């Protein structure tokens, strides 16, 4: 049986591909964190966090991305770029796909990060 999180990631990936993004990697793990999806949007490298919550949860999907989670995303992105040095100079952004129940919302550029900080 496939879990809700896996289904949410697949739905997010399908949605983003329909919007013209291309999947580079799924579930990139390193010691400091995980990147759910790494996508390419034209010349821009996009690190995508997928958050799934029940429709009537106390905290919605977007609100569930804590400061600690943001730090882990940044650390994982740094590691990804060290592992893929040819991409280090590409423009990049962090997007969020928030799945609350059946609703899917795409928020672009949710973490302000200058690529030179990596």
């Amino acid at each position: 049986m496939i879990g809700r999180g896996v289904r949410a990631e697949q739905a997010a990936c399908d949605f983003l591909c329909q919007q013209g993004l291309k999947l580079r990697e799924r579930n990139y793990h390193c010691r400091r964190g995980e990147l759910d999806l790494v996508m390419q949007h034209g010349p821009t490298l996009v690190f995508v966090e997928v958050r799934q919550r029940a429709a009537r949860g106390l905290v919605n999907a977007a609100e569930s991305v804590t400061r600690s989670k943001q730090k882990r995303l940044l650390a994982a992105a740094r590691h990804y770029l060290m592992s893929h040095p040819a991409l280090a100079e590409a423009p990049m952004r962090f997007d969020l796909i928030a799945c609350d129940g059946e609703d899917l919302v795409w928020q672009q550029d949710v973490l302000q990060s200058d690529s030179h900080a990596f």
Side-chain angles (χ1 to χ4, degrees):
M1 181 175 206
I2 297 174
R4 286 183 298 163
V6 173
R7 284 194 307 264
E9 283 183 13
Q10 186 60 53
C13 186
D14 292 346
F15 171 79
L16 292 171
C17 288
Q18 290 170 1
Q19 305 306 309
L21 283 75
K22 294 187 181 357
L23 179 65
R24 292 189 63 86
E25 194 153 348
R26 182 187 305 259
N27 299 115
Y28 178 82
H29 291 272
C30 68
R31 169 171 79 77
R32 295 189 172 243
E34 176 190 358
L35 300 168
D36 293 331
L37 301 170
V38 181
M39 310 287 290
Q40 193 78 39
H41 194 195
T44 303
L45 188 62
V46 184
F47 300 106
V48 181
E49 175 67 9
V50 180
R51 302 299 280 193
Q52 194 275 331
R53 291 289 182 264
R56 295 190 180 159
L58 294 175
V59 176
N60 71 30
E63 292 171 338
S64 72
V65 182
T66 64
R67 173 70 66 194
S68 174
K69 179 61 175 177
Q70 291 174 22
K71 288 180 182 180
R72 288 193 307 274
L73 289 170
L74 288 167
R78 285 186 192 101
H79 190 274
Y80 184 85
L81 292 171
M82 286 189 309
S83 300
H84 300 82
L87 300 173
E89 296 301 319
M92 65 190 76
R93 70 173 192 253
F94 290 85
D95 288 2
L96 172 70
I97 295 286
C99 302
D100 289 300
E102 296 297 319
D103 297 328
L104 186 146
V105 177
W106 179 21
Q107 298 177 17
Q108 297 182 38
D109 208 14
V110 296
L111 291 179
Q112 301 301 315
S113 178
D114 182 1
S115 64
H116 301 292
F118 292 100

